[in-house]
Amino acid sequence: MNIEIISIGDELLIGQTINTNASWMGEKLFEIGTTVNWVTTVGDDHDLLIKTLEIAEQRADVILLTGGLGPTHDDVTKKAVCSFLKSELVVDQVVLEHVKKMFRERGIKMVKVNEEQAMVPDKAKVINNPVGTAPAMFFEKDGKKFFVMPGVPFEMKGIMQESVLPAVKELLNGKVAKKKFIATIGIGESTLFEKIGNIEEVEKYARVAFLPGFSGVKIRLIADGKNSTEADEKLKQADTLIQRNIKEFIYAEKDIPLEEAIVHLLTEKNNTLAVAESCTGGLLASKITNVSGSSQVFLEGVVVYSNQAKVNRLGVPENLINEHGAVSPQVAEKLAEQVRKLSGADFGLATTGIAGPTGGTPEKPVGLVYLGYADKNGAFAKKYMSKLNRLENKERFSYAALDLLRVNLKKV
Amino acid sequence: MNIEIISIGDELLIGQTINTNASWMGEKLFEIGTTVNWVTTVGDDHDLLIKTLEIAEQRADVILLTGGLGPTHDDVTKKAVCSFLKSELVVDQVVLEHVKKMFRERGIKMVKVNEEQAMVPDKAKVINNPVGTAPAMFFEKDGKKFFVMPGVPFEMKGIMQESVLPAVKELLNGKVAKKKFIATIGIGESTLFEKIGNIEEVEKYARVAFLPGFSGVKIRLIADGKNSTEADEKLKQADTLIQRNIKEFIYAEKDIPLEEAIVHLLTEKNNTLAVAESCTGGLLASKITNVSGSSQVFLEGVVVYSNQAKVNRLGVPENLINEHGAVSPQVAEKLAEQVRKLSGADFGLATTGIAGPTGGTPEKPVGLVYLGYADKNGAFAKKYMSKLNRLENKERFSYAALDLLRVNLKKV
């Protein structure tokens, strides 16, 4: 089975938007046991899109289109599909009701172009779009299957998960692929690779990928099998071999970010957390509150960005800042201790550092952070270095703080 | 002139590597006044690559290939090019000397596969690779021009800058393209489209695209011209027509997020800001502190996630919460007022709402937020609705709060 992805949009061709959609789709298709053969990116151009569809029709069996389904004039996908199918645009009542309902719920007035969003080619079947107004579509032409989705990533992802991936899976004739994620933190990709040892042995059972991100390195195992039992058995073998030497770095045996594991740990222990942030500027709190259910364990955060706020909001002694500087282990420790005390939480975490690009000195360069940790037994600080840009440093600092909590949480 | 990029590599099709090369190349070509028509991504597969070359040869005039030139067995580009050109691989002495020199300089021993890197198709002309050992190549076939480059980003970039971009520029005969962004907030894509009115009139001067994101809708204008003056003139005409009816929604005339515009506005006015967040959980503060230089205007944030924190940290009266609920205009207003007062900032912003997926009721559903605003003249709250998932709601809520500040900031 040959698969082609067609990504549509001028913004993809002029370097304004990187084609992460195709990458995500390729990964998800790979995970269910098949591989994309071509990705073709083309602009919002009616005629070029038709030519692209004609080529895809010849070489691929399943064609996934994304983009160009919005309400404005530069969205040409539906018209091109009509020409390609020799089909007419007609109003789909179900889609029209869906669009009306979404506007009603958001309390926004619908305008004429939104009604046009309910127009679909009469030879296409509408696929539900659980999160947006642009309708997704399916059609067949000479035995070739076409899925048409919006380019907005979260809409495309919703439709892929709900409809397209299950449909493609069905075409794979019982062949199954099972996957498992092992999420690690506090260890780099190459060290992890070395510690695991003989990867060739693991690859007898499953395909192994190392996926580094700010929230550590995730190991993805994919075992292929003629049936579910065979795939499960192979996955288990690979998993055992992988986990052997790296247990202390594993924070989850599924694809979740560290903040989710932390919230689960705190919930299990019936413990609470408060954070004091300087250089991470709210990102640490935001990560924790990304987790549904975090309100059970997260009491509060303070973003003490200015020195004045460190003193007034958390009672950090002014002379401590004057003596050691705001970016110091002494201040980090004090911030964690104070936010724990004032909030009444079981654990306090703090960050103070230099995210950059400015503000660094030879002694305290950009990328330096001191992380503070406090529990009922006391408080301490830990130094950590990152060497990336401002936003990436904020990410790294936040995860280093969460890892500090993960490691010490267990001991209390 | 039609341009096609062919990106070669299995890793691009299974989601392991995102195709940032094509994006970078598209941007650089756009900057010199031309646009890529297609990007085709294909795996390390000899036969599929030949088919891809045949299609590119038919539809494009300039074809840029990257990837698959490395020394290992899975790099198939040179062999496929040989088959496509009916050419033979021969040792290029200049390349061989270059490879030997690079190994000598790095003090690494050369192995046999490295010598094979000096083999090139006899009908291709070698292009200098200033930074690596894989030779880049140029060949012509039936008047179509092909450039072949390695996939390693810094090698590809070096070759593009030194050889390929100048060669493509020469083919353009002085033609240029100029672009401009108009960044809007507080108005949906379709309403924006309607307000602007006759887009066909604008498109006489420039290509128009609407790019929606959490930080509002950005409008991108691209004007083509026979020379720089003509392109500038057309861009100005289009810009004037676009801006006519939507002035109040424009926060920047360049491609920046709202938080950056806000930090600039506050800096210009020499004003300061503090925020109190419930449902956005630190994201609002984190967005502001993403902007380098925000420490000049952002004093502090408090993430008063629990009711206890709202009372203890900010002095919100307990009976106000009991009477109206934590998610209420009264509490939003009070949070903004209190954080402004306690921090000594000129402006206070606050959020209290239900990000979901749980915690909603019929009267206060998931997606409801009350935004609080305070300045020296007083405080008020504004209701806002979103209908997305937890993380997306947090994004929308944060930008709605920033927009509330943008609109009211000007009046003080």
Side-chain angles (χ1 to χ4, degrees):
Chain A
M1 188 170 76
N2 286 328
I3 302 183
E4 178 156 355
I5 292 172
I6 300 177
S7 307
I8 301 154
D10 286 342
E11 70 281 8
L12 298 168
L13 294 173
I14 63 165
Q16 192 187 319
T17 306
I18 293 171
N19 196 352
T20 52
N21 273 1
S23 170
W24 185 90
M25 291 162 79
E27 188 180 1
K28 293 299 150 189
L29 288 161
F30 184 71
E31 284 174 8
I32 64 168
T34 183
T35 314
V36 171
N37 300 79
W38 285 277
V39 178
T40 304
T41 309
V42 64
D44 298 299
D45 182 306
H46 181 266
D47 297 347
L48 293 190
L49 179 50
I50 290 173
K51 283 188 199 168
T52 305
L53 283 166
E54 285 165 358
I55 289 166
E57 186 193 8
Q58 280 171 36
R59 66 185 177 188
D61 306 295
V62 173
I63 297 106
L64 309 177
L65 286 82
T66 62
L69 287 183
T72 57
H73 73 295
D74 57 330
D75 293 306
V76 301
T77 302
K78 276 198 290 197
K79 277 176 204 142
V81 163
C82 274
S83 307
F84 178 66
L85 273 181
K86 299 187 178 45
S87 183
E88 295 283 326
L89 276 181
V90 292
V91 173
D92 186 293
Q93 286 302 330
V94 177
V95 177
L96 186 62
E97 282 314 308
H98 177 66
V99 173
K100 282 184 178 170
K101 183 165 164 276
M102 291 208 85
F103 273 85
R104 221 169 27 237
E105 283 175 1
R106 291 180 195 170
I108 304 170
K109 202 175 154 282
M110 222 172 120
V111 292
K112 200 174 159 292
V113 288
N114 298 120
E115 283 186 32
E116 283 168 21
Q117 291 202 270
M119 307 275 284
V120 292
D122 57 6
K123 290 182 186 163
K125 200 181 133 227
V126 169
I127 300 174
N128 180 44
N129 178 349
V131 287
T133 55
M137 295 173 281
F138 168 78
F139 60 87
E140 255 182 291
K141 186 164 184 276
D142 302 327
K144 306 303 179 77
K145 294 177 195 323
F146 293 78
F147 296 88
V148 187
M149 291 169 273
V152 182
F154 78 90
E155 296 193 31
M156 176 279 290
K157 288 176 186 176
I159 296 159
M160 280 288 287
Q161 303 273 24
E162 188 178 280
S163 305
V164 180
L165 287 169
V168 174
K169 209 168 176 176
E170 212 159 89
L171 299 170
L172 293 173
N173 298 324
K175 189 183 151 232
V176 291
K178 291 285 176 90
K179 74 174 163 184
K180 174 168 182 170
F181 285 90
I182 300 160
T184 73
I185 180 96
I187 181 168
E189 188 180 354
S190 37
T191 320
L192 197 60
F193 188 82
E194 291 235 326
K195 269 201 183 287
I196 288 167
N198 197 349
I199 284 283
E200 284 76 27
E201 202 188 333
V202 187
E203 291 224 309
K204 282 180 198 156
Y205 303 102
R207 292 173 276 160
V208 186
F210 292 85
L211 310 165
F214 293 118
S215 177
V217 179
K218 285 178 188 151
I219 302 168
R220 187 191 61 210
L221 300 173
I222 301 176
D224 298 304
K226 284 189 287 294
N227 54 51
S228 200
T229 318
E230 188 188 289
D232 280 335
E233 185 50 43
K234 285 160 76 180
L235 192 63
K236 206 179 141 194
Q237 297 271 15
D239 187 28
T240 308
L241 287 169
I242 284 278
Q243 291 207 28
R244 213 168 28 178
N245 300 322
I246 58 163
K247 289 226 189 304
E248 76 255 45
F249 303 104
I250 299 172
Y251 69 80
E253 295 193 34
K254 53 187 167 178
D255 186 14
I256 59 169
L258 181 57
E259 55 269 32
E260 198 171 325
I262 292 279
V263 168
H264 293 168
L265 277 171
L266 288 168
T267 308
E268 270 170 30
K269 288 175 70 95
N270 202 19
N271 280 158
T272 55
L273 171 68
V275 304
E277 303 180 62
S278 186
C279 60
T280 50
L283 185 62
L284 175 56
S286 184
K287 288 209 175 292
I288 298 161
T289 61
N290 278 350
V291 184
S292 182
S294 54
S295 57
Q296 298 304 310
V297 298
F298 182 65
L299 298 185
E300 65 179 293
V302 282
V303 184
V304 283
Y305 218 53
S306 62
N307 285 348
Q308 182 194 335
K310 291 178 184 73
V311 175
N312 294 346
R313 202 64 47 235
L314 285 184
V316 175
E318 210 160 349
N319 62 8
L320 198 72
I321 297 176
N322 292 338
E323 197 177 328
H324 303 285
V327 179
S328 62
Q330 291 83 358
V331 170
E333 184 182 318
K334 199 69 184 170
L335 287 170
E337 193 183 305
Q338 288 295 98
V339 81
R340 178 180 175 272
K341 201 171 87 184
L342 289 169
S343 66
D346 297 304
F347 296 96
L349 268 185
T351 64
T352 180
I354 301 142
T358 59
T361 64
E363 302 84 51
K364 294 180 180 176
V366 167
L368 169 69
V369 68
Y370 291 100
L371 307 168
Y373 168 87
D375 64 25
K376 64 181 177 193
N377 302 318
F380 66 89
K382 193 187 167 189
K383 186 179 167 177
Y384 179 85
M385 282 295 298
S386 172
K387 280 279 173 195
L388 303 169
N389 71 30
R390 182 180 181 86
L391 272 61
E392 290 159 348
N393 285 340
K394 283 180 64 182
E395 288 280 340
R396 286 266 183 109
F397 295 167
S398 299
Y399 280 116
L402 287 172
D403 193 35
L404 186 66
L405 177 60
R406 178 186 73 92
V407 170
N408 288 285
L409 188 64
K410 298 172 188 168
K411 303 175 190 164
V412 181
Chain B
M1 186 170 81
N2 286 327
I3 301 182
E4 178 155 356
I5 293 172
I6 300 177
S7 306
I8 302 153
D10 286 342
E11 72 282 7
L12 299 167
L13 294 173
I14 62 166
Q16 192 185 315
T17 306
I18 293 171
N19 195 350
T20 53
N21 273 0
S23 170
W24 186 90
M25 292 162 80
E27 190 179 0
K28 293 300 152 191
L29 288 161
F30 184 76
E31 282 172 8
I32 65 167
T34 185
T35 314
V36 171
N37 300 80
W38 285 277
V39 178
T40 304
T41 308
V42 63
D44 298 299
D45 182 305
H46 181 268
D47 297 346
L48 293 190
L49 180 51
I50 290 172
K51 284 188 198 167
T52 305
L53 283 166
E54 285 165 357
I55 289 165
E57 186 194 8
Q58 279 170 37
R59 66 185 177 187
D61 306 296
V62 174
I63 297 105
L64 309 177
L65 284 82
T66 63
L69 287 183
T72 55
H73 70 291
D74 56 339
D75 292 307
V76 301
T77 303
K78 275 199 290 198
K79 276 176 206 142
V81 164
C82 274
S83 308
F84 178 64
L85 273 181
K86 299 185 178 47
S87 186
E88 295 284 326
L89 275 183
V90 293
V91 173
D92 185 293
Q93 285 303 329
V94 177
V95 177
L96 186 61
E97 282 314 307
H98 177 66
V99 173
K100 281 183 178 169
K101 185 166 164 273
M102 291 208 85
F103 273 85
R104 221 168 29 237
E105 283 174 1
R106 293 181 195 171
I108 305 168
K109 201 171 159 285
M110 229 173 113
V111 293
K112 198 171 163 295
V113 287
N114 299 121
E115 279 185 37
E116 283 169 21
Q117 292 202 268
M119 307 275 283
V120 291
D122 57 6
K123 290 181 186 163
K125 200 181 134 229
V126 169
I127 300 174
N128 180 45
N129 178 349
V131 287
T133 55
M137 294 173 283
F138 169 77
F139 60 87
E140 256 182 290
K141 186 163 184 274
D142 303 326
K144 305 304 179 77
K145 294 176 193 333
F146 292 77
F147 296 88
V148 188
M149 291 168 273
V152 182
F154 80 92
E155 295 193 31
M156 177 278 289
K157 287 177 187 176
I159 296 160
M160 280 287 286
Q161 302 274 24
E162 188 178 282
S163 305
V164 181
L165 287 170
V168 174
K169 205 167 179 176
E170 214 160 88
L171 300 171
L172 292 174
N173 302 319
K175 194 186 147 238
V176 291
K178 294 283 177 88
K179 77 175 160 183
K180 175 169 182 170
F181 286 91
I182 299 161
T184 72
I185 179 94
I187 180 168
E189 187 181 356
S190 35
T191 319
L192 196 61
F193 186 79
E194 291 238 325
K195 267 202 183 287
I196 288 167
N198 197 348
I199 284 283
E200 284 75 25
E201 203 189 332
V202 187
E203 292 227 307
K204 283 179 196 155
Y205 304 101
R207 289 172 277 159
V208 186
F210 294 86
L211 310 165
F214 292 120
S215 175
V217 179
K218 284 177 190 151
I219 303 168
R220 188 194 60 216
L221 301 174
I222 302 175
D224 299 304
K226 285 191 287 294
N227 52 51
S228 198
T229 317
E230 189 189 285
D232 281 333
E233 185 52 41
K234 283 161 79 180
L235 191 63
K236 207 178 141 194
Q237 296 272 11
D239 187 27
T240 308
L241 287 169
I242 284 278
Q243 292 207 26
R244 212 170 27 183
N245 300 321
I246 58 163
K247 289 226 189 304
E248 75 255 46
F249 303 105
I250 299 172
Y251 70 80
E253 297 192 34
K254 52 187 168 180
D255 187 14
I256 58 171
L258 182 57
E259 54 269 33
E260 199 172 325
I262 292 280
V263 168
H264 293 167
L265 276 172
L266 288 168
T267 309
E268 270 170 31
K269 289 175 70 98
N270 202 20
N271 280 159
T272 54
L273 172 68
V275 304
E277 305 180 62
S278 185
C279 59
T280 50
L283 185 62
L284 176 56
S286 184
K287 288 208 176 290
I288 298 162
T289 60
N290 278 350
V291 184
S292 180
S294 55
S295 57
Q296 297 304 309
V297 298
F298 182 66
L299 299 185
E300 65 178 293
V302 282
V303 184
V304 282
Y305 219 53
S306 62
N307 285 348
Q308 181 195 336
K310 291 179 184 71
V311 174
N312 295 347
R313 202 63 47 235
L314 285 183
V316 174
E318 209 159 352
N319 63 6
L320 198 72
I321 296 175
N322 292 338
E323 198 176 326
H324 304 285
V327 179
S328 63
Q330 292 82 358
V331 169
E333 185 182 320
K334 200 67 182 172
L335 286 170
E337 192 183 306
Q338 287 296 96
V339 81
R340 177 180 175 273
K341 202 172 87 185
L342 289 170
S343 66
D346 298 304
F347 296 96
L349 269 185
T351 63
T352 180
I354 300 141
T358 59
T361 64
E363 303 84 51
K364 294 180 180 177
V366 168
L368 169 70
V369 67
Y370 290 101
L371 308 167
Y373 169 88
D375 63 27
K376 64 182 177 192
N377 302 316
F380 65 89
K382 194 188 166 188
K383 185 180 169 177
Y384 179 84
M385 283 294 297
S386 173
K387 278 280 173 192
L388 302 169
N389 70 30
R390 181 178 180 89
L391 271 61
E392 292 156 352
N393 285 340
K394 282 179 67 183
E395 288 280 338
R396 288 264 182 113
F397 294 168
S398 298
Y399 279 116
L402 287 172
D403 192 36
L404 185 66
L405 176 60
R406 180 187 72 90
V407 169
N408 289 284
L409 188 64
K410 297 172 188 170
K411 302 175 189 164
V412 182

